[in-house]
Amino acid sequence: MTRTISALFAAIALATAVCAAPAAHAEGDQVRPVRSEKLPNVPGKSLTAVVVNYVPGGKSARHHHSGSVFAYVLSGEIRSENSATGPARVYKAGESFFEPPGSEHLVSENASATEPASLLAVFVADDGAQLTTFGK
């Protein structure tokens, strides 16, 4: 029972941290928490996965993330630019990219104006960290 209550609180905290700024996404875009687990071999750190669904033409405002982020494009095409990894590039379904700690996500958008797109983002960050901060 304690584990169930802990999991419930973790899910609520995750949803709050990931979805804290809904105005920073296009109308219709969705960020859905998938799972969050504390890393027993790395005290103080958690691994958190979210699915980001972009409507056609959807995009996120400039932002940065806590910790490291691995992103895998599930469907469609995502245009992404990160301050630490070079110019904007379009990633197709099955491709991935990495965002190192301390970098800024300058461009994050659906590369198509007619088709939806989605990605899985996997964060490694401090326990309880706000995963995404917009407007910096």
Side-chain angles (χ1 to χ4, degrees):
M1 175 104 156
T2 302
R3 185 174 171 107
T4 302
I5 292 170
S6 294
L8 177 62
F9 281 122
I12 291 168
L14 172 62
T16 301
V18 172
C19 304
H25 290 276
E27 186 174 332
D29 288 351
Q30 297 176 338
V31 178
R32 182 175 51 88
V34 176
R35 186 167 183 105
S36 184
E37 293 288 335
K38 290 185 178 189
L39 294 172
N41 61 328
V42 188
K45 299 289 182 183
S46 292
L47 183 133
T48 303
V50 300
V51 172
V52 180
N53 293 304
Y54 285 104
V55 296
K59 59 184 164 186
S60 301
R62 291 171 72 137
H63 58 277
H64 68 274
H65 298 293
S66 296
S68 300
V69 182
F70 168 80
Y72 179 82
V73 180
L74 298 168
S75 65
E77 298 182 353
I78 302 288
R79 181 177 295 106
S80 181
E81 180 179 3
N82 182 278
S83 64
T85 59
R89 179 174 162 210
V90 174
Y91 297 88
K92 298 178 181 186
E95 295 182 325
S96 61
F97 55 93
F98 179 75
E99 297 179 43
S103 62
E104 185 175 9
H105 206 160
L106 305 170
V107 175
S108 180
E109 63 189 13
N110 186 341
S112 173
T114 59
E115 298 295 324
S118 64
L119 63 84
L120 172 70
V122 180
F123 298 79
V124 176
D126 292 340
D127 293 342
Q130 180 172 333
L131 298 177
T132 303
T133 303
F134 291 91
K136 182 174 180 183

